[in-house]
Amino acid sequence: MNKIIFASGISFVLLFFTGFRGLEKTTEAIENNVIPKEKKELLKKIVGRWITQTNIYARNGQPASKVIGSDIWQWSPDGNFTFHMGYGIRDKSGFGAMEITGYNSKTGDFDSYNFNPDGSFEMFTLTINNNIWIWNGKEVRTTGVMDENGKILTVKHEITNDGKTYELFMDGVLTKGADF
């Protein structure tokens, strides 16, 4: 039953973000957003299972801490989206979040919808240039550098209050355990 509720929730999220449109518009949107081969090759590098080790820096009266977690990126059934589930343990408490990423034919980058453990969600633009991955959001910017073998992704998370000045609040290393 939980799997049915979860699948229904994901379907609703996808409908919410793509819009409740008629068949003609939906077909047009799918055709326009199919990932070009060269872009799909870039995104393909992250698909797989990862072990994550993260350092969270002290800020706003909160102490520094460490997170150990796992991240799984996989393709949607049609191959036009990636679905990312992240799980972590921080201070002996577990949490999870998810992300859905699709190609934006208007910008040539990817749109990434992130759903956070506190129930909030945000949209990021994901730009991939060779081995540099940059997720840009309204208040958070994440820069990742993937090694040449596609097995290590080193990330730096920065936060801003004014959209101009960023401060480091988290960094980490993701180590790929298996491809899908």
Side-chain angles (χ1 to χ4, degrees), residues 1-174:
M1 183 62 152
N2 286 340
K3 289 181 181 178
I4 293 171
I5 292 169
F6 181 72
S8 298
I10 295 299
S11 298
F12 177 76
V13 167
L14 287 173
L15 284 173
F16 177 79
F17 286 112
T18 59
F20 295 93
R21 303 181 188 129
L23 183 58
E24 184 177 319
K25 290 268 187 182
T26 302
T27 302
E28 179 182 352
I30 290 170
E31 289 173 0
N32 288 338
N33 290 315
V34 170
I35 304 172
K37 185 177 180 179
E38 66 278 1
K39 293 287 189 172
K40 193 167 193 171
E41 287 301 313
L42 291 172
L43 193 59
K44 184 173 147 180
K45 293 177 184 180
I46 205 162
V47 172
R49 298 171 194 240
W50 300 77
I51 298 298
T52 306
Q53 298 176 350
T54 305
N55 300 302
I56 300 175
Y57 296 96
R59 66 184 295 276
N60 296 336
Q62 296 294 317
S65 62
K66 294 190 180 294
V67 173
I68 184 79
S70 67
D71 290 84
I72 300 168
W73 274 273
Q74 63 187 48
W75 291 108
S76 62
D78 62 10
N80 287 311
F81 299 92
T82 59
F83 181 67
H84 168 210
M85 294 293 289
Y87 303 95
I89 297 172
R90 178 182 181 185
D91 301 327
K92 298 181 183 178
S93 297
F95 64 91
M98 68 180 192
E99 170 186 20
I100 299 171
T101 302
Y103 180 68
N104 184 328
S105 60
K106 292 178 183 160
T107 65
D109 289 320
F110 297 93
D111 289 335
S112 173
Y113 297 92
N114 291 268
F115 301 88
N116 303 311
D118 65 1
S120 65
F121 67 90
E122 332 172 46
M123 191 190 100
F124 289 81
T125 298
L126 169 58
T127 304
I128 307 170
N129 283 321
N130 297 314
N131 291 334
I132 306 295
W133 296 61
I134 300 172
W135 288 263
N136 270 315
K138 184 177 178 183
E139 297 174 353
V140 176
R141 174 176 63 198
T142 299
T143 303
V145 178
M146 190 172 293
D147 74 343
E148 292 298 322
N149 297 321
K151 301 294 183 187
I152 305 280
L153 180 65
T154 305
V155 294
K156 174 178 70 170
H157 304 275
E158 299 170 294
I159 194 163
T160 182
N161 291 325
D162 62 11
K164 297 174 187 167
T165 308
Y166 286 85
E167 73 176 284
L168 181 65
F169 79 94
M170 207 163 68
D171 64 20
V173 176
L174 290 79

